[in-house]
Amino acid sequence: MSKLLEGIKVLDVSQVAAVPMAARILADRGADVIHVENPKLGDQFRHLVRFMNQKTGIRSDVNYIWEQYNRNKKGITLDLSQEAGQAVLHRLVESMDVFLTNLRPFELERFRMEYPTLSRINPRLVAGFLTGFGKEGPDKDLPAYDHVAYWARSGIPHRMRALSPVLQGEDVVPPAFMPAFGDHTAGMSLACGVMMALFARERTGKGDEVHVSLFHSGAYQISFDLSGTLVTGEDCPVMDSYDDAPNALYGQYQSKDGRWVLFSVLRPDRYWSRFCRAVGREDLEEDPRFHPVENQLRNRVELRAIIQEIFGSKTLAEWRPILDAAQLPWAPVQSLLEVIDDRQARPNGLFIGYEHPEYGPMEGVTDPIKLAGYPESVRLPAPEFSQHTEEILLEYGYSWEDLTQLREQGVIF
Amino acid sequence: MSKLLEGIKVLDVSQVAAVPMAARILADRGADVIHVENPKLGDQFRHLVRFMNQKTGIRSDVNYIWEQYNRNKKGITLDLSQEAGQAVLHRLVESMDVFLTNLRPFELERFRMEYPTLSRINPRLVAGFLTGFGKEGPDKDLPAYDHVAYWARSGIPHRMRALSPVLQGEDVVPPAFMPAFGDHTAGMSLACGVMMALFARERTGKGDEVHVSLFHSGAYQISFDLSGTLVTGEDCPVMDSYDDAPNALYGQYQSKDGRWVLFSVLRPDRYWSRFCRAVGREDLEEDPRFHPVENQLRNRVELRAIIQEIFGSKTLAEWRPILDAAQLPWAPVQSLLEVIDDRQARPNGLFIGYEHPEYGPMEGVTDPIKLAGYPESVRLPAPEFSQHTEEILLEYGYSWEDLTQLREQGVIF
């Protein structure tokens, strides 16, 4: 079986999360990806695991964050602030199919990497640009991270504000600490945009520019609600407590051992009888307080208390087989260790294993797309710093003398 | 300018959120999408806005949820539980490029819609399947929604558990009420998988099957952390309070008017001096408690209190120009009304306007991908129930007599 993106050459001029992830999605499917790092600083993500070890006390010699975002790539260094570095980049671009970057518009201009420049060099080039707040508007050049641009500014935490059964109203604060969460939505969108442009290129022979912003990715995530605000001119409904939930089978309950059990039933009429039987409370099924379903909606706060009492009577381990057998739409809030061991995880290829030359056998998480004809593969570990600079530059026509000179100028490491 | 997916025919046999969203992403780019609904029940999302109106008291005659997920599609009805309905579906599949569904594996088998069947009818078909928990494993046929499969089971709320400056430890509960949030990540991934398969088909002439699950989409979102758990065998670090945050410029502060201001600074050395000057506290810049940066990390709890005091001294409106001018990576937690009015929103095409035959001019939210050569467009409003059944069936070779018979059998509405 051949690889989906065999022969597709990608230049990944980015760091941290969103664009490296987009490039890795392509790399996992056979694209030849070259990741460009600054010869002095390197990619910030190279060093993050050291900080994580320090913070958490969980020591690991495996730079799993670096691997997760950069497996299957070759790595070179290039100082793009120097003209000589820009010249190397332009020469590479001649042969590329895809160019990806998270540099901001003013940096692209300063470094001669704007789309018109690149497109003149290679009209077949598909160029993908990730920004915090979009390529237009007064804030196009502002620095941005996931939390700021995807998260806070798009209104997501506002919508999540009042969602706890414990807290009420104004006390409830937005969640935070969600590393590289929006980056993954934006990275997937960028990969999708690149595939759209590659598809078009098959038909027209011409490249295109693709733009994705973290802010827009957040707005897309929350578009169910945002589309309402657009039309009604009213802010989204913020539920101040679970009493506002549509029905009592929608929400979370705590088991005897303090675990959260989440139900997501939008139409209780479809699940009510099954639920009552599963939890051994057939007496509730036709209880006039909760039957027919209209009464149940009216008395949902009372019902919620009864259901909490029911769930508090057994541990999660006791509930699992009961709720599964009843085919109810439920799940426990799992820990990450439980996710690793989840019986659906490995049969569905959530992880991919490979032999790392330094760490030995290890695994990473895959993206959620499974093409039957084109499975992902790991052919390369994430690159060491500047590992492939010489190899790549020689491949693209530079001589050993050129390399010595570029190194002396500090253009490469 | 032609449309990216001009001439691409898509059959969307799904309802609610994730798959309709994937199909809409394709539809916004010119694909001819036919949305199939059950002739008795219709798509659940048709009726949700009524419930929303009732719950929120925000009355709207515009079915904005239906529009948001189904603009640019034609709508037909078809009872797929009847053999005659399956025969119609099979005939349509002969001419389709893409088939999308969220029916579960056992339903696909029951309704003769498994990939081998469809692929025999049309070997060029790209078939995209969305499941809750994957196509393999003991839970492949379990019912699932976003909250359950994407959210709780993937560990996301576990990671978000202890993220509030108000709550500590065990009291902190997972957030809930995040309608169609994971559906959008999964929908984008499905659209991306379809584009990958369409790209491959340009080269090979052959179709493929694409699988995406909500559970895997959640694992992908949290893969930064999950990759660590895979390698270390330890659960993710759960921070029990902001005192565990990496530094004081990472987190949220409340302004004088109670608004949350979010900072996301991973490397305080780069922003410390700029921050101190922006907020008018040059005295802190070389304060030995906070300088050099190592001291600042050590004394971050003390610093956090000082920064909260600073932010509490001005309103958000007063802070905005100050923080923007300093180019700090910050954002307020915006309401959805503020998102609509955000100065970056319209210049970057977050919304798309169209003339609705019934509602008049209206707007919807776009997905975050912008291709310069192929802008999105709205050519059709979301379909009325069964609006195009006759048109489509006549187009695909059925006669008026056939239609009468199918209607009598209850196969179409």
Side-chain angles (χ1 to χ4, degrees):
Chain A
M1 214 169 317
S2 71
K3 293 178 187 66
L4 179 81
L5 296 176
E6 194 143 10
I8 296 289
K9 291 180 168 44
V10 179
L11 199 62
D12 169 17
V13 184
S14 72
Q15 61 171 340
V16 180
V19 179
M21 177 57 90
R24 198 215 71 202
I25 290 172
L26 305 175
D28 280 359
R29 291 177 172 81
D32 296 317
V33 178
I34 302 169
H35 187 188
V36 180
E37 292 176 77
N38 181 284
K40 285 208 196 68
L41 305 169
D43 185 325
Q44 283 184 51
F45 256 23
R46 279 197 178 277
H47 316 295
L48 194 60
V49 88
R50 248 189 284 156
F51 167 78
M52 300 279 287
N53 282 344
Q54 202 182 340
K55 284 298 303 171
T56 60
I58 304 168
R59 296 212 64 81
S60 175
D61 293 330
V62 178
N63 195 341
Y64 52 83
I65 295 171
W66 182 244
E67 288 293 322
Q68 181 62 20
Y69 292 83
N70 293 288
R71 67 182 178 235
N72 274 327
K73 300 181 188 178
K74 292 186 175 177
I76 69 171
T77 47
L78 218 43
D79 182 353
L80 297 169
S81 71
Q82 295 194 47
E83 274 196 30
Q86 294 162 15
V88 174
L89 183 112
H90 289 172
R91 191 186 294 186
L92 293 178
V93 160
E94 285 173 25
S95 311
M96 290 294 131
D97 297 284
V98 179
F99 171 85
L100 297 173
T101 193
N102 68 339
L103 289 172
R104 289 173 271 168
F106 79 94
E107 294 169 316
L108 294 174
E109 206 183 312
R110 185 182 296 168
F111 300 159
R112 299 193 296 151
M113 283 161 57
E114 324 94 295
Y115 180 69
T117 304
L118 302 182
S119 170
R120 241 186 331 265
I121 296 169
N122 177 0
R124 283 178 55 82
L125 188 72
V126 169
F129 301 93
L130 185 105
T131 54
F133 306 109
K135 75 185 175 83
E136 309 291 344
D139 297 346
K140 66 186 166 66
D141 288 324
L142 281 188
Y145 294 98
D146 176 274
H147 279 113
V148 163
Y150 163 85
W151 202 245
R153 193 149 169 179
S154 79
I156 297 175
H158 171 71
R159 182 70 180 85
M160 294 178 77
R161 200 173 57 85
L163 308 177
S164 139
V166 173
L167 293 178
Q168 305 272 331
E170 287 305 315
D171 283 343
V172 186
V173 294
F177 296 128
M178 183 52 68
F181 190 100
D183 284 332
H184 295 180
T185 303
M188 177 58 76
S189 300
L190 188 60
C192 184
V194 166
M195 289 312 308
M196 287 174 172
L198 285 175
F199 171 80
R201 195 183 72 165
E202 289 293 311
R203 302 189 153 192
T204 66
K206 281 195 301 198
D208 201 350
E209 56 184 308
V210 182
H211 295 270
V212 171
S213 79
L214 292 167
F215 176 50
H216 198 162
S217 300
Y220 167 71
Q221 284 286 54
I222 194 104
S223 60
F224 176 98
D225 295 285
L226 200 56
S227 66
T229 302
L230 259 178
V231 163
T232 64
E234 303 274 349
D235 202 351
C236 62
V238 174
M239 304 199 200
D240 278 323
S241 85
Y242 263 102
D243 298 351
D244 292 330
N247 70 78
L249 287 181
Y250 189 86
Q252 311 174 59
Y253 295 97
Q254 227 165 353
S255 69
K256 193 177 177 182
D257 51 342
R259 294 295 303 271
W260 289 99
V261 166
L262 192 145
F263 275 85
S264 185
V265 170
L266 285 176
R267 292 181 46 191
D269 51 320
R270 284 177 60 179
Y271 289 101
W272 175 238
S273 146
R274 224 193 288 173
F275 173 80
C276 293
R277 287 162 201 209
V279 302
R281 288 296 300 269
E282 292 85 346
D283 60 300
L284 295 174
E285 197 176 336
E286 303 205 349
D287 185 318
R289 291 173 298 172
F290 313 124
H291 180 85
V293 75
E294 291 70 30
N295 296 359
Q296 188 179 132
L297 299 182
R298 211 169 14 249
N299 298 313
R300 64 187 183 278
V301 176
E302 186 180 358
L303 181 55
R304 197 167 284 278
I306 293 172
I307 297 181
Q308 177 50 60
E309 203 176 308
I310 293 171
F311 275 103
S313 71
K314 285 186 170 62
T315 64
L316 174 60
E318 290 167 323
W319 281 122
R320 268 186 199 271
I322 297 171
L323 301 174
D324 277 347
Q327 298 240 325
L328 291 163
W330 83 286
V333 172
Q334 297 205 107
S335 74
L336 295 200
L337 278 171
E338 288 171 317
V339 175
I340 300 287
D341 288 335
D342 193 288
R343 61 192 179 194
Q344 291 302 109
R346 290 185 188 280
N348 289 293
L350 265 67
F351 316 125
I352 193 161
Y354 54 107
E355 185 72 27
H356 191 283
E358 188 185 339
Y359 311 138
M362 67 170 289
E363 287 182 304
V365 183
T366 56
D367 70 64
I369 305 169
K370 293 284 169 198
L371 269 71
Y374 299 98
E376 317 93 286
S377 64
V378 182
R379 304 167 308 286
L380 291 170
E384 290 171 37
F385 184 61
S386 204
Q387 185 183 344
H388 304 92
T389 302
E390 290 177 354
E391 175 191 322
I392 296 286
L393 264 58
L394 290 170
E395 185 184 333
Y396 284 90
Y398 289 89
S399 66
W400 284 106
E401 291 74 41
D402 297 331
L403 290 175
T404 306
Q405 204 190 333
L406 288 168
R407 192 164 284 124
E408 276 167 8
Q409 293 173 287
V411 171
I412 61 173
F413 175 77
Chain B
M1 214 168 319
S2 71
K3 293 178 188 64
L4 178 81
L5 297 175
E6 193 143 11
I8 296 289
K9 292 180 167 40
V10 179
L11 199 62
D12 169 17
V13 184
S14 72
Q15 61 171 339
V16 180
V19 179
M21 178 57 90
R24 198 215 70 201
I25 290 172
L26 304 176
D28 280 0
R29 290 175 174 82
D32 295 317
V33 178
I34 302 169
H35 188 187
V36 180
E37 292 176 77
N38 181 284
K40 285 208 196 67
L41 304 169
D43 185 325
Q44 283 184 52
F45 256 23
R46 279 196 178 277
H47 316 295
L48 194 58
V49 88
R50 249 189 282 156
F51 167 78
M52 300 280 286
N53 282 344
Q54 203 181 339
K55 285 297 303 170
T56 61
I58 304 168
R59 297 210 64 81
S60 176
D61 293 331
V62 178
N63 195 341
Y64 52 83
I65 295 171
W66 182 243
E67 288 292 323
Q68 181 62 19
Y69 292 83
N70 295 287
R71 66 181 179 236
N72 274 328
K73 301 181 187 176
K74 291 186 175 179
I76 68 171
T77 47
L78 218 45
D79 181 354
L80 298 169
S81 70
Q82 295 193 47
E83 274 196 30
Q86 295 162 14
V88 174
L89 183 111
H90 288 172
R91 190 185 294 185
L92 293 179
V93 160
E94 285 173 26
S95 310
M96 291 293 132
D97 297 283
V98 179
F99 171 85
L100 296 173
T101 192
N102 68 340
L103 289 172
R104 288 174 271 169
F106 79 94
E107 293 169 316
L108 293 174
E109 205 182 314
R110 185 181 297 167
F111 299 159
R112 298 194 295 151
M113 283 161 55
E114 325 94 295
Y115 180 69
T117 304
L118 302 181
S119 170
R120 243 188 329 268
I121 296 169
N122 177 0
R124 282 178 56 81
L125 188 72
V126 169
F129 301 93
L130 186 105
T131 54
F133 305 109
K135 74 186 175 83
E136 308 291 344
D139 296 346
K140 65 186 166 70
D141 289 323
L142 281 188
Y145 294 98
D146 176 273
H147 280 114
V148 162
Y150 163 84
W151 202 244
R153 192 149 169 179
S154 78
I156 297 175
H158 171 72
R159 182 69 179 86
M160 293 178 78
R161 201 175 57 85
L163 309 177
S164 140
V166 173
L167 292 178
Q168 305 273 330
E170 288 305 315
D171 282 344
V172 186
V173 294
F177 297 127
M178 183 53 71
F181 190 100
D183 285 332
H184 295 180
T185 303
M188 177 57 76
S189 300
L190 188 61
C192 184
V194 166
M195 289 312 308
M196 286 174 172
L198 285 175
F199 171 79
R201 195 183 72 165
E202 289 292 310
R203 301 188 153 192
T204 65
K206 281 195 300 200
D208 201 351
E209 55 184 309
V210 182
H211 295 269
V212 171
S213 78
L214 291 168
F215 176 50
H216 198 161
S217 301
Y220 167 72
Q221 285 286 53
I222 194 106
S223 60
F224 176 99
D225 295 286
L226 201 55
S227 66
T229 301
L230 260 177
V231 162
T232 64
E234 303 274 349
D235 202 351
C236 62
V238 174
M239 304 198 200
D240 277 322
S241 84
Y242 263 103
D243 300 350
D244 292 331
N247 71 77
L249 288 181
Y250 188 86
Q252 311 175 60
Y253 295 96
Q254 228 166 351
S255 68
K256 192 177 178 182
D257 52 340
R259 294 296 303 272
W260 291 99
V261 166
L262 192 145
F263 275 85
S264 184
V265 170
L266 285 176
R267 293 181 45 191
D269 51 321
R270 284 178 60 180
Y271 289 100
W272 176 238
S273 145
R274 225 193 287 174
F275 174 80
C276 293
R277 288 162 201 209
V279 301
R281 290 296 300 269
E282 291 86 346
D283 61 300
L284 295 174
E285 198 176 335
E286 303 203 351
D287 186 318
R289 291 174 298 172
F290 312 125
H291 180 85
V293 76
E294 291 71 30
N295 296 0
Q296 188 179 132
L297 299 183
R298 210 168 17 247
N299 298 314
R300 64 186 183 278
V301 177
E302 187 180 356
L303 181 55
R304 197 168 283 278
I306 293 171
I307 297 180
Q308 178 50 61
E309 203 176 308
I310 294 171
F311 276 101
S313 71
K314 286 186 170 60
T315 64
L316 174 59
E318 290 168 323
W319 280 122
R320 268 186 199 272
I322 296 171
L323 300 174
D324 277 346
Q327 298 240 325
L328 292 163
W330 84 285
V333 172
Q334 296 205 108
S335 73
L336 296 199
L337 279 171
E338 288 171 317
V339 175
I340 301 286
D341 288 334
D342 192 289
R343 62 191 179 195
Q344 291 302 109
R346 289 183 189 281
N348 289 294
L350 265 67
F351 316 124
I352 194 162
Y354 54 108
E355 185 73 27
H356 191 283
E358 188 184 340
Y359 311 138
M362 67 171 289
E363 287 182 304
V365 183
T366 57
D367 71 63
I369 304 169
K370 293 284 169 197
L371 270 71
Y374 299 98
E376 318 93 287
S377 63
V378 182
R379 303 166 308 285
L380 290 170
E384 289 171 39
F385 184 62
S386 204
Q387 184 183 344
H388 304 91
T389 301
E390 290 177 355
E391 175 192 322
I392 296 287
L393 264 58
L394 290 170
E395 185 184 333
Y396 284 90
Y398 289 89
S399 66
W400 283 106
E401 292 73 41
D402 296 331
L403 290 175
T404 306
Q405 203 189 332
L406 289 168
R407 191 163 285 124
E408 275 167 9
Q409 293 173 286
V411 171
I412 60 173
F413 175 78

